[in-house]
Amino acid sequence: MRKKFIAGNWKMNLDSSTAGALAKSLAAALKKDKLESYADVAVCPPSIYLTTVAAALAGSSIALGAQDVFYEKNGAFTGEISTEMLKDVGCRYVIIGHSERRHVIGESDQLINKKLCAALSAGLEPILCIGELLEERQASQTETVIERQLRQGLVDVKKEAMARLTIAYEPVWAIGTGKTATAQQAQDAHAFVRGILADIFDDGIARKTRIQYGGSVKPANAAELMGQKDVDGALVGGASLKVDDFVGIIKAGCDLEHK
Ligand code: PGA
């Protein structure tokens, strides 16, 4: 069975005590069901709670990720957080280019590329998010948009660094809306992403790069989505805030319910 990578993006939904408690309960649930042998699991709390969550996860197999990072190593950048700071508090992963950063904060492909290169050269494992808006899908622009986000996001990324990079395909119209891409829509987009990776790098890199689906993943749709040939895991928002739902996604996504 192929190993899945399931990450929970907690966004601005918790305070320090609920973040710590959620991390502890998740760690206990994963251990109880021995889920670490089927999936790599990470949680991405708000930066201000990374240390709280790191402490709560001590001794567990759940990795820690951040929701964003700045591209400079250090210096006078008020409000920003560097790759070194993320590593200092125990982060392994960092989400880069999430749709809310692209479309609410206004981050460009160029800025996202700088952050991605900084994360890779610092030894972090970035999750590069890409995905089209509803109007772009309706105008048959899905492939054009995700190709641009991929090519511009991956400028100057070396082949050797690709083993540490995950792509998350997240159609913007499916994020937090309860609307999920159909399994076929997800598979088509993921296969397209793999084709672009083969073109930028080579077939081996394209085959080995993990491509997560994100956008209203729930226990009820995880099996079908993650059963697709090119879907290697999930980036989960809302459902990662409830232990039963997140664990249900891991189990369904790894097809454990039938074992
Ligand atoms: P959602 O969020 O699962 O709540 O749709 C996904 C994401 O933002 O990564």
Side-chain angles (χ1 to χ4, degrees), residues 16-42:
S16 66
S17 67
T18 47
L22 179 58
K24 275 206 169 98
S25 315
L26 265 175
L30 247 70
K31 197 167 174 194
K32 178 173 153 274
D33 290 337
K34 299 192 174 56
L35 296 180
E36 51 276 277
S37 43
Y38 298 96
D40 292 333
V41 179

Side-chain angles (χ1 to χ4, degrees), residues 9 11 98 100 129 170 174-178 214-217 235-239:
N9 178 10
K11 307 189 185 180
H98 188 277
E100 285 136 28
C129 300
E170 299 203 295
I175 298 177
T177 58
S216 301
V217 178
L235 181 52
V236 185

